[in-house]
Amino acid sequence: GAGVSQSPSNKVTEKGKDVELRCDPISGHTALYWYRQSLGQGLEFLIYFQGNSAPDKSGLPSDRFSAERTGGSVSTLTIQRTQQEDSAVYLCASSLDGRWNTEAFFGQGTRLTVV
Amino acid sequence: TQLLEQSPQFLSIQEGENLTVYCNSSSVFSSLQWYRQEPGEGPVLLVTVVTGGEVKKLKRLTFQFGDARKDSSLHITAAQPGDTGLYLCAGGSGDSGGGADGLTFGKGTHLIIQP
């Protein structure tokens, strides 16, 4: 597609349920990032993929969070046993090669509300 | 932990006025990026500065990277209602700063330009 696509755009879930967020990066972009933006806050870095591998998963807030990327393209962020503090906008971005001076393009985000 | 502090947090001014927002850190960054985010959208890159003392101009926007690469400023001349949005600065570090280390984002400046 022309840009980074995220789905769903909005998700309301009950506390304790699992959710899966999807990111379709720009075709040909090898680097993919997940960020979390809470109300009134900046972006919190969660995880980065170069191809299918994630060198460092320490940015994930807890072991309830996991992410994978297959085929060097689509990525999913899974949150198990959701808690109210997980409510936030989850943003995905992709860039051509992940170098520090390469522009990252963001999707519109998934707004997650845990009730 | 690298932190970027942005000021002011909120700014509301009249159309035609000038303004400056600041992004400060005690850490050195390889690059500094400025993004603009509108409600319901992901951040969009405005500029990347990489050299200490560098100044970049984008129409009515002037971006400056501090000599020590620890701080940056965004100056808007003759602000217009279309400039309204959340302005985020983000620092990259390391050889693959925007990649494996992720970008460190400030909390942003909420800018409102009143007609």
Side-chain angles (χ1 to χ4, degrees), chain A residues 67-106:
Chain A
E68 66 175 14
R69 189 181 185 194
T70 56
S73 181
V74 172
S75 176
T76 55
L77 177 69
T78 302
I79 309 173
Q80 295 179 308
R81 306 181 302 282
T82 51
Q83 302 295 313
Q84 288 185 331
E85 61 262 28
D86 299 333
S87 295
V89 175
Y90 290 81
L91 289 160
C92 174
S94 71
S95 68
L96 190 60
D97 55 20
R99 288 185 294 178
W100 55 268
N101 58 348
T102 304
E103 181 176 359
F105 295 84
F106 283 83

Side-chain angles (χ1 to χ4, degrees), chain A residues 33 35 37 40-45 48 55-56 89 91 95 98-109 111, chain B residues 9 30-31 33 35 37 40-43 45 50 86 88 94-103 105-107 110:
Chain A
Y33 315 79
Y35 290 86
Q37 186 174 30
Q41 302 294 313
L43 275 67
E44 174 190 4
F45 172 69
Y48 154 74
D56 183 1
V89 175
L91 289 160
S95 68
R99 288 185 294 178
W100 55 268
N101 58 348
T102 304
E103 181 176 359
F105 295 84
F106 283 83
Q108 292 184 320
R111 181 175 296 278
Chain B
Q9 193 173 352
S30 302
S31 67
Q33 298 181 333
Y35 290 81
Q37 185 178 20
E41 302 288 330
L45 180 67
V50 300
L86 175 65
L88 295 157
D95 292 336
S96 57
D101 297 330
L103 287 169
F105 278 84
K107 292 186 177 181
H110 294 264

